[in-house]
Amino acid sequence: FPVTIHLRRAIERRGGIFHKKLSKNKTDYLVVGTYASPSWPSSHLGRKLEAAKTQQAQKRAIKIVSESNLLRKLESSRVTT
């Protein structure tokens, strides 16, 4: 499933910019959820993960983080608007 609106808003409140597409010049983090199925690797989400791993292999500083871990970290920082 896509990143939840709650997480997107938490990122934006902290000055982050949310993009639906992976970009070599704009993406610092790829947020992945916990949803998986046998067809997942061939889906657009699986291709994004593959692209992020390729960028990492090319020494690009993109980080792959789970949605649940990132949400916990953001919530513990207690930034409010």
Side-chain angles (χ1 to χ4, degrees):
F1 293 103
V3 172
T4 63
I5 192 69
H6 181 68
L7 180 57
R8 180 178 180 162
R9 287 179 181 154
I11 291 168
E12 291 172 342
R13 278 195 308 268
R14 289 158 178 82
I17 300 170
F18 182 87
H19 296 281
K20 289 185 177 184
K21 295 184 179 184
L22 192 65
S23 169
K24 288 183 182 180
N25 299 321
K26 295 181 181 180
T27 306
D28 295 314
Y29 295 89
L30 175 64
V31 180
V32 295
T34 55
Y35 175 75
S37 74
S39 64
W40 186 79
S42 62
S43 71
H44 70 283
L45 298 172
R47 289 189 295 273
K48 284 182 186 180
L49 186 55
E50 280 183 19
K53 288 184 178 226
T54 298
Q55 289 182 26
Q56 285 178 330
Q58 296 170 349
K59 306 300 182 201
R60 171 84 172 83
I62 187 170
K63 294 172 183 66
I64 301 169
V65 298
S66 75
E67 181 177 351
S68 58
N69 285 340
L70 181 57
L71 188 55
R72 271 194 302 274
K73 288 179 184 181
L74 291 174
E75 287 176 344
S76 69
S77 69
R78 298 184 183 187
V79 172
T80 59
T81 58

